[in-house]
């Protein structure tokens, strides 16, 4: 009961943190990056402004966002997602292929030819094939698993769905889960479907950690204790 009370007392803080996080931050412009400036479509289409529905950071996030924009413009979102998943499954079944994609010592020409041949054999569309060639050229094939995961999150968000992972010490009571879901829906806006996945991790000691997209709101007792420890170690100036 005491632990449930701690979770309940953390929810108002979670609500405040989620709502104070500017909604505009959920729809950032892509970073200006020459690696991502190529249009992966094989032929120019009518210019269409597309916003990524969830903030993505890092190499995998930037590439996934760029691919998402091209896929939406080409009306090929589900096709590209399916092809990426097929490639990931193939790499899981072939350790040699998986190692090949991670090996930066492989010459660029070899990587590009391999991705081109694989795309042709698998009958991937031009969008996926061109994207894989770009990854091969830029030495980013080792990030394909993370890119595919980020792309799947964008596809889910495109459909009006949001997956949020909530980590607690004990299962979140139904009423707290309902309150948290309502808060997330308020953040994302009307018409969004929020799916909450609960994870149990005794090491956080208490409180909760909320993750959605690539955002993390850490309100765990473990993190608070570490912050307090750092403060206590700082010198005091009189």
């Amino acid at each position: 009961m005491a632990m449930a009370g701690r979770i309940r007392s953390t929810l108002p803080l979670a609500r405040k943190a989620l709502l104070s996080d500017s909604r505009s931050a959920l729809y950032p412009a892509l970073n200006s990056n020459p690696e991502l400036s190529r249009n992966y479509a094989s032929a120019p289409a009518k210019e269409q402004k597309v916003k990524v529905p969830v903030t993505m950071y890092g190499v995998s996030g930037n590439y996934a966002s760029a691919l998402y924009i091209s896929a939406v413009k080409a009306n090929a979102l589900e096709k590209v997602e399916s092809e990426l998943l097929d490639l990931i499954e193939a790499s899981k079944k072939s350790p040699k292929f998986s190692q090949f994609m991670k090996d930066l010592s492989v010459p660029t020409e070899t990587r590009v030819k391999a991705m081109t041949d694989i795309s042709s054999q698998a009958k991937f569309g031009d969008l996926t094939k061109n994207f894989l060639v770009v990854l091969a050229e830029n030495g980013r094939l080792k990030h394909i698993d993370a890119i595919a995961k980020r792309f799947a999150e964008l596809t889910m968000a495109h459909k009006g769905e949001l997956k949020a992972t909530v980590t607690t010490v004990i299962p979140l009571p139904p009423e707290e889960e309902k309150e948290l879901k309502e808060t997330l829906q308020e953040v994302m806006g009307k018409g969004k479907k929020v799916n909450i996945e609960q994870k149990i991790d005794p090491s956080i000691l208490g409180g909760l950690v909320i993750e959605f997209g690539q955002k993390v709101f850490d309100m765990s007792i473990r993190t608070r204790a570490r912050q307090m420890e750092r403060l206590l170690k700082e010198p005091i100036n009189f």
Side-chain angles (χ1 to χ4, degrees):
M1 293 296 292
M3 190 64 70
R6 290 179 188 173
I7 293 177
R8 192 175 298 110
S9 66
T10 308
L11 281 175
L13 295 175
R15 177 180 174 81
K16 183 178 180 181
L18 288 167
L19 294 178
S20 64
D21 190 58
S22 173
R23 184 171 297 177
S24 62
L26 296 175
Y27 306 94
L30 288 175
N31 294 332
S32 177
N33 189 328
E35 288 188 13
L36 306 175
S37 61
R38 178 186 298 191
N39 182 354
Y40 304 121
S42 57
K46 184 178 179 181
E47 187 62 27
Q48 176 187 357
K49 290 185 178 180
V50 178
K51 289 183 178 180
V52 289
V54 179
T55 304
M56 293 284 159
Y57 301 105
V59 172
S60 62
N62 285 338
Y63 273 97
S65 297
L67 180 60
Y68 168 83
I69 289 173
S70 293
V72 170
K73 289 181 178 180
N75 194 28
L77 205 55
E78 292 186 2
K79 177 177 173 59
V80 171
E81 181 184 20
S82 175
E83 291 171 346
L84 284 181
L85 291 177
D86 286 346
L87 183 68
I88 298 302
E89 285 303 311
S91 69
K92 289 179 180 178
K93 294 177 181 178
S94 173
K96 187 176 181 180
F97 176 49
S98 179
Q99 182 58 38
F100 166 80
M101 291 197 294
K102 297 174 183 176
D103 191 353
L104 294 178
S105 68
V106 177
T108 301
E109 296 79 8
T110 303
R111 292 198 301 265
V112 169
K113 185 178 186 305
M115 288 300 103
T116 301
D117 292 345
I118 288 171
S119 296
S120 297
Q121 292 171 14
K123 297 182 179 180
F124 289 164
D126 287 341
L127 190 54
T128 302
K129 181 185 73 175
N130 292 344
F131 180 72
L132 293 175
V133 166
V134 170
L135 292 182
E137 290 176 342
N138 295 333
R140 301 297 194 181
L141 285 173
K142 64 179 181 178
H143 297 289
I144 188 63
D145 283 19
I147 291 171
K149 183 178 180 181
R150 298 282 88 81
F151 188 82
E153 291 173 3
L154 288 171
T155 301
M156 182 182 291
H158 180 84
K159 297 175 183 176
E161 299 176 6
L162 170 71
K163 177 183 175 183
T165 301
V166 181
T167 303
T168 53
V169 173
I170 61 173
L172 201 62
E175 57 271 24
E176 273 72 42
E177 181 181 357
K178 180 175 180 291
E179 183 180 342
L180 182 58
K181 182 179 288 189
E182 290 173 350
T183 299
L184 286 168
Q185 286 184 316
E186 187 176 347
V187 171
M188 295 304 296
K190 292 182 179 179
K192 302 293 183 182
K193 179 181 178 182
V194 177
N195 299 313
I196 291 182
E197 175 186 334
Q198 292 195 44
K199 289 174 61 178
I200 305 301
D201 182 2
S203 72
I204 70 170
L205 304 179
L208 70 164
V209 180
I210 305 170
E211 302 172 69
F212 64 96
Q214 285 190 297
K215 289 180 173 293
V216 178
F217 293 86
D218 190 339
M219 289 154 283
S220 65
I221 291 179
R222 178 182 61 189
T223 296
R224 292 182 195 174
R226 288 174 178 172
Q227 291 172 342
M228 181 62 70
E229 183 181 1
R230 284 197 297 270
L231 286 173
L232 292 173
K233 287 181 179 180
E234 290 180 359
I236 300 176
N237 297 319
F238 294 98

PDB file of all heavy atoms in Angstrom, residues 41-65:
ATOM      1  N   ALA A  41      13.137   8.863 -52.992  1.00  0.00           N
ATOM      2  CA  ALA A  41      12.262   8.477 -54.091  1.00  0.00           C
ATOM      3  C   ALA A  41      13.038   8.547 -55.402  1.00  0.00           C
ATOM      4  O   ALA A  41      13.902   9.387 -55.593  1.00  0.00           O
ATOM      5  CB  ALA A  41      11.041   9.397 -54.149  1.00  0.00           C
ATOM      6  N   SER A  42      12.690   7.664 -56.340  1.00  0.00           N
ATOM      7  CA  SER A  42      13.433   7.601 -57.597  1.00  0.00           C
ATOM      8  C   SER A  42      13.041   8.707 -58.565  1.00  0.00           C
ATOM      9  O   SER A  42      13.784   9.050 -59.465  1.00  0.00           O
ATOM     10  CB  SER A  42      13.204   6.233 -58.265  1.00  0.00           C
ATOM     11  OG  SER A  42      11.816   6.009 -58.471  1.00  0.00           O
ATOM     12  N   ALA A  43      11.859   9.264 -58.365  1.00  0.00           N
ATOM     13  CA  ALA A  43      11.415  10.336 -59.250  1.00  0.00           C
ATOM     14  C   ALA A  43      10.804  11.445 -58.414  1.00  0.00           C
ATOM     15  O   ALA A  43      10.147  11.181 -57.407  1.00  0.00           O
ATOM     16  CB  ALA A  43      10.366   9.811 -60.240  1.00  0.00           C
ATOM     17  N   PRO A  44      11.029  12.710 -58.791  1.00  0.00           N
ATOM     18  CA  PRO A  44      10.490  13.816 -57.998  1.00  0.00           C
ATOM     19  C   PRO A  44       8.967  13.832 -58.011  1.00  0.00           C
ATOM     20  O   PRO A  44       8.342  13.678 -59.047  1.00  0.00           O
ATOM     21  CB  PRO A  44      11.080  15.060 -58.701  1.00  0.00           C
ATOM     22  CG  PRO A  44      11.388  14.608 -60.088  1.00  0.00           C
ATOM     23  CD  PRO A  44      11.778  13.180 -59.975  1.00  0.00           C
ATOM     24  N   ALA A  45       8.382  13.981 -56.847  1.00  0.00           N
ATOM     25  CA  ALA A  45       6.928  14.053 -56.746  1.00  0.00           C
ATOM     26  C   ALA A  45       6.527  15.483 -56.433  1.00  0.00           C
ATOM     27  O   ALA A  45       7.371  16.332 -56.147  1.00  0.00           O
ATOM     28  CB  ALA A  45       6.435  13.123 -55.646  1.00  0.00           C
ATOM     29  N   LYS A  46       5.224  15.753 -56.494  1.00  0.00           N
ATOM     30  CA  LYS A  46       4.732  17.082 -56.181  1.00  0.00           C
ATOM     31  C   LYS A  46       5.110  17.410 -54.752  1.00  0.00           C
ATOM     32  O   LYS A  46       4.938  16.608 -53.839  1.00  0.00           O
ATOM     33  CB  LYS A  46       3.213  17.108 -56.344  1.00  0.00           C
ATOM     34  CG  LYS A  46       2.617  18.496 -56.135  1.00  0.00           C
ATOM     35  CD  LYS A  46       1.120  18.466 -56.346  1.00  0.00           C
ATOM     36  CE  LYS A  46       0.514  19.846 -56.109  1.00  0.00           C
ATOM     37  NZ  LYS A  46      -0.945  19.836 -56.293  1.00  0.00           N
ATOM     38  N   GLU A  47       5.664  18.587 -54.535  1.00  0.00           N
ATOM     39  CA  GLU A  47       6.162  18.979 -53.212  1.00  0.00           C
ATOM     40  C   GLU A  47       5.035  18.940 -52.192  1.00  0.00           C
ATOM     41  O   GLU A  47       3.958  19.482 -52.391  1.00  0.00           O
ATOM     42  CB  GLU A  47       6.761  20.381 -53.276  1.00  0.00           C
ATOM     43  CG  GLU A  47       7.446  20.804 -51.978  1.00  0.00           C
ATOM     44  CD  GLU A  47       8.620  19.926 -51.608  1.00  0.00           C
ATOM     45  OE1 GLU A  47       9.228  19.343 -52.525  1.00  0.00           O
ATOM     46  OE2 GLU A  47       8.911  19.813 -50.403  1.00  0.00           O
ATOM     47  N   GLN A  48       5.275  18.273 -51.098  1.00  0.00           N
ATOM     48  CA  GLN A  48       4.293  18.120 -50.041  1.00  0.00           C
ATOM     49  C   GLN A  48       4.979  18.315 -48.703  1.00  0.00           C
ATOM     50  O   GLN A  48       5.989  17.696 -48.416  1.00  0.00           O
ATOM     51  CB  GLN A  48       3.683  16.712 -50.112  1.00  0.00           C
ATOM     52  CG  GLN A  48       2.719  16.399 -48.993  1.00  0.00           C
ATOM     53  CD  GLN A  48       2.280  14.941 -49.016  1.00  0.00           C
ATOM     54  OE1 GLN A  48       2.661  14.195 -49.901  1.00  0.00           O
ATOM     55  NE2 GLN A  48       1.494  14.550 -48.042  1.00  0.00           N
ATOM     56  N   LYS A  49       4.436  19.202 -47.908  1.00  0.00           N
ATOM     57  CA  LYS A  49       5.033  19.449 -46.598  1.00  0.00           C
ATOM     58  C   LYS A  49       4.594  18.363 -45.630  1.00  0.00           C
ATOM     59  O   LYS A  49       3.404  18.120 -45.450  1.00  0.00           O
ATOM     60  CB  LYS A  49       4.621  20.833 -46.087  1.00  0.00           C
ATOM     61  CG  LYS A  49       5.254  21.977 -46.867  1.00  0.00           C
ATOM     62  CD  LYS A  49       4.914  23.318 -46.241  1.00  0.00           C
ATOM     63  CE  LYS A  49       5.583  24.465 -46.991  1.00  0.00           C
ATOM     64  NZ  LYS A  49       5.264  25.776 -46.397  1.00  0.00           N
ATOM     65  N   VAL A  50       5.565  17.711 -45.009  1.00  0.00           N
ATOM     66  CA  VAL A  50       5.287  16.621 -44.081  1.00  0.00           C
ATOM     67  C   VAL A  50       6.010  16.885 -42.765  1.00  0.00           C
ATOM     68  O   VAL A  50       7.185  17.237 -42.762  1.00  0.00           O
ATOM     69  CB  VAL A  50       5.748  15.263 -44.653  1.00  0.00           C
ATOM     70  CG1 VAL A  50       5.497  14.153 -43.640  1.00  0.00           C
ATOM     71  CG2 VAL A  50       5.033  14.960 -45.960  1.00  0.00           C
ATOM     72  N   LYS A  51       5.300  16.715 -41.661  1.00  0.00           N
ATOM     73  CA  LYS A  51       5.908  16.860 -40.337  1.00  0.00           C
ATOM     74  C   LYS A  51       6.033  15.487 -39.690  1.00  0.00           C
ATOM     75  O   LYS A  51       5.130  14.658 -39.802  1.00  0.00           O
ATOM     76  CB  LYS A  51       5.052  17.759 -39.439  1.00  0.00           C
ATOM     77  CG  LYS A  51       5.061  19.227 -39.816  1.00  0.00           C
ATOM     78  CD  LYS A  51       4.238  20.026 -38.817  1.00  0.00           C
ATOM     79  CE  LYS A  51       4.271  21.515 -39.131  1.00  0.00           C
ATOM     80  NZ  LYS A  51       3.467  22.290 -38.157  1.00  0.00           N
ATOM     81  N   VAL A  52       7.150  15.271 -39.018  1.00  0.00           N
ATOM     82  CA  VAL A  52       7.282  14.022 -38.271  1.00  0.00           C
ATOM     83  C   VAL A  52       6.397  14.122 -37.031  1.00  0.00           C
ATOM     84  O   VAL A  52       6.394  15.151 -36.351  1.00  0.00           O
ATOM     85  CB  VAL A  52       8.742  13.739 -37.879  1.00  0.00           C
ATOM     86  CG1 VAL A  52       9.569  13.368 -39.087  1.00  0.00           C
ATOM     87  CG2 VAL A  52       9.369  14.923 -37.166  1.00  0.00           C
ATOM     88  N   PRO A  53       5.609  13.085 -36.732  1.00  0.00           N
ATOM     89  CA  PRO A  53       4.636  13.174 -35.633  1.00  0.00           C
ATOM     90  C   PRO A  53       5.223  13.028 -34.236  1.00  0.00           C
ATOM     91  O   PRO A  53       4.546  13.337 -33.261  1.00  0.00           O
ATOM     92  CB  PRO A  53       3.678  12.016 -35.942  1.00  0.00           C
ATOM     93  CG  PRO A  53       4.511  11.033 -36.684  1.00  0.00           C
ATOM     94  CD  PRO A  53       5.477  11.841 -37.499  1.00  0.00           C
ATOM     95  N   VAL A  54       6.447  12.521 -34.131  1.00  0.00           N
ATOM     96  CA  VAL A  54       7.091  12.338 -32.828  1.00  0.00           C
ATOM     97  C   VAL A  54       8.550  12.748 -32.934  1.00  0.00           C
ATOM     98  O   VAL A  54       9.212  12.462 -33.928  1.00  0.00           O
ATOM     99  CB  VAL A  54       7.006  10.864 -32.357  1.00  0.00           C
ATOM    100  CG1 VAL A  54       7.709  10.687 -31.015  1.00  0.00           C
ATOM    101  CG2 VAL A  54       5.558  10.409 -32.245  1.00  0.00           C
ATOM    102  N   THR A  55       9.044  13.428 -31.919  1.00  0.00           N
ATOM    103  CA  THR A  55      10.444  13.846 -31.902  1.00  0.00           C
ATOM    104  C   THR A  55      11.378  12.647 -31.978  1.00  0.00           C
ATOM    105  O   THR A  55      11.202  11.672 -31.250  1.00  0.00           O
ATOM    106  CB  THR A  55      10.764  14.616 -30.613  1.00  0.00           C
ATOM    107  OG1 THR A  55       9.869  15.717 -30.492  1.00  0.00           O
ATOM    108  CG2 THR A  55      12.195  15.134 -30.644  1.00  0.00           C
ATOM    109  N   MET A  56      12.366  12.705 -32.857  1.00  0.00           N
ATOM    110  CA  MET A  56      13.375  11.654 -32.969  1.00  0.00           C
ATOM    111  C   MET A  56      14.764  12.285 -32.882  1.00  0.00           C
ATOM    112  O   MET A  56      15.013  13.324 -33.499  1.00  0.00           O
ATOM    113  CB  MET A  56      13.241  10.916 -34.300  1.00  0.00           C
ATOM    114  CG  MET A  56      11.974  10.093 -34.439  1.00  0.00           C
ATOM    115  SD  MET A  56      12.082   8.571 -33.488  1.00  0.00           S
ATOM    116  CE  MET A  56      10.361   8.136 -33.304  1.00  0.00           C
ATOM    117  N   TYR A  57      15.645  11.653 -32.126  1.00  0.00           N
ATOM    118  CA  TYR A  57      16.984  12.186 -31.939  1.00  0.00           C
ATOM    119  C   TYR A  57      18.046  11.178 -32.389  1.00  0.00           C
ATOM    120  O   TYR A  57      17.760   9.998 -32.559  1.00  0.00           O
ATOM    121  CB  TYR A  57      17.233  12.528 -30.458  1.00  0.00           C
ATOM    122  CG  TYR A  57      16.268  13.535 -29.891  1.00  0.00           C
ATOM    123  CD1 TYR A  57      15.243  13.143 -29.036  1.00  0.00           C
ATOM    124  CD2 TYR A  57      16.381  14.893 -30.208  1.00  0.00           C
ATOM    125  CE1 TYR A  57      14.361  14.061 -28.503  1.00  0.00           C
ATOM    126  CE2 TYR A  57      15.503  15.822 -29.677  1.00  0.00           C
ATOM    127  CZ  TYR A  57      14.485  15.408 -28.827  1.00  0.00           C
ATOM    128  OH  TYR A  57      13.612  16.321 -28.307  1.00  0.00           O
ATOM    129  N   GLY A  58      19.261  11.663 -32.542  1.00  0.00           N
ATOM    130  CA  GLY A  58      20.381  10.781 -32.846  1.00  0.00           C
ATOM    131  C   GLY A  58      20.391  10.306 -34.284  1.00  0.00           C
ATOM    132  O   GLY A  58      19.535  10.668 -35.104  1.00  0.00           O
ATOM    133  N   VAL A  59      21.367   9.473 -34.588  1.00  0.00           N
ATOM    134  CA  VAL A  59      21.526   8.958 -35.953  1.00  0.00           C
ATOM    135  C   VAL A  59      20.287   8.199 -36.398  1.00  0.00           C
ATOM    136  O   VAL A  59      19.720   8.467 -37.456  1.00  0.00           O
ATOM    137  CB  VAL A  59      22.769   8.041 -36.039  1.00  0.00           C
ATOM    138  CG1 VAL A  59      22.820   7.346 -37.400  1.00  0.00           C
ATOM    139  CG2 VAL A  59      24.044   8.845 -35.833  1.00  0.00           C
ATOM    140  N   SER A  60      19.844   7.242 -35.586  1.00  0.00           N
ATOM    141  CA  SER A  60      18.688   6.425 -35.971  1.00  0.00           C
ATOM    142  C   SER A  60      17.426   7.271 -36.105  1.00  0.00           C
ATOM    143  O   SER A  60      16.632   7.080 -37.033  1.00  0.00           O
ATOM    144  CB  SER A  60      18.467   5.308 -34.954  1.00  0.00           C
ATOM    145  OG  SER A  60      18.191   5.829 -33.672  1.00  0.00           O
ATOM    146  N   GLY A  61      17.247   8.224 -35.196  1.00  0.00           N
ATOM    147  CA  GLY A  61      16.069   9.076 -35.255  1.00  0.00           C
ATOM    148  C   GLY A  61      16.048   9.978 -36.475  1.00  0.00           C
ATOM    149  O   GLY A  61      15.006  10.156 -37.118  1.00  0.00           O
ATOM    150  N   ASN A  62      17.197  10.537 -36.820  1.00  0.00           N
ATOM    151  CA  ASN A  62      17.276  11.423 -37.981  1.00  0.00           C
ATOM    152  C   ASN A  62      17.029  10.676 -39.293  1.00  0.00           C
ATOM    153  O   ASN A  62      16.301  11.153 -40.171  1.00  0.00           O
ATOM    154  CB  ASN A  62      18.637  12.116 -38.021  1.00  0.00           C
ATOM    155  CG  ASN A  62      18.756  13.227 -36.992  1.00  0.00           C
ATOM    156  OD1 ASN A  62      17.760  13.767 -36.531  1.00  0.00           O
ATOM    157  ND2 ASN A  62      19.980  13.555 -36.610  1.00  0.00           N
ATOM    158  N   TYR A  63      17.635   9.507 -39.406  1.00  0.00           N
ATOM    159  CA  TYR A  63      17.430   8.721 -40.633  1.00  0.00           C
ATOM    160  C   TYR A  63      15.993   8.226 -40.729  1.00  0.00           C
ATOM    161  O   TYR A  63      15.393   8.241 -41.814  1.00  0.00           O
ATOM    162  CB  TYR A  63      18.401   7.537 -40.675  1.00  0.00           C
ATOM    163  CG  TYR A  63      19.740   7.878 -41.288  1.00  0.00           C
ATOM    164  CD1 TYR A  63      20.829   8.208 -40.495  1.00  0.00           C
ATOM    165  CD2 TYR A  63      19.918   7.886 -42.675  1.00  0.00           C
ATOM    166  CE1 TYR A  63      22.057   8.537 -41.050  1.00  0.00           C
ATOM    167  CE2 TYR A  63      21.144   8.200 -43.238  1.00  0.00           C
ATOM    168  CZ  TYR A  63      22.206   8.529 -42.417  1.00  0.00           C
ATOM    169  OH  TYR A  63      23.426   8.857 -42.977  1.00  0.00           O
ATOM    170  N   ALA A  64      15.436   7.765 -39.605  1.00  0.00           N
ATOM    171  CA  ALA A  64      14.055   7.293 -39.617  1.00  0.00           C
ATOM    172  C   ALA A  64      13.098   8.421 -39.989  1.00  0.00           C
ATOM    173  O   ALA A  64      12.148   8.221 -40.749  1.00  0.00           O
ATOM    174  CB  ALA A  64      13.686   6.728 -38.238  1.00  0.00           C
ATOM    175  N   SER A  65      13.359   9.622 -39.481  1.00  0.00           N
ATOM    176  CA  SER A  65      12.509  10.774 -39.781  1.00  0.00           C
ATOM    177  C   SER A  65      12.585  11.147 -41.263  1.00  0.00           C
ATOM    178  O   SER A  65      11.572  11.456 -41.892  1.00  0.00           O
ATOM    179  CB  SER A  65      12.924  11.972 -38.916  1.00  0.00           C
ATOM    180  OG  SER A  65      12.739  11.695 -37.550  1.00  0.00           O
TER     181      SER A  65
END
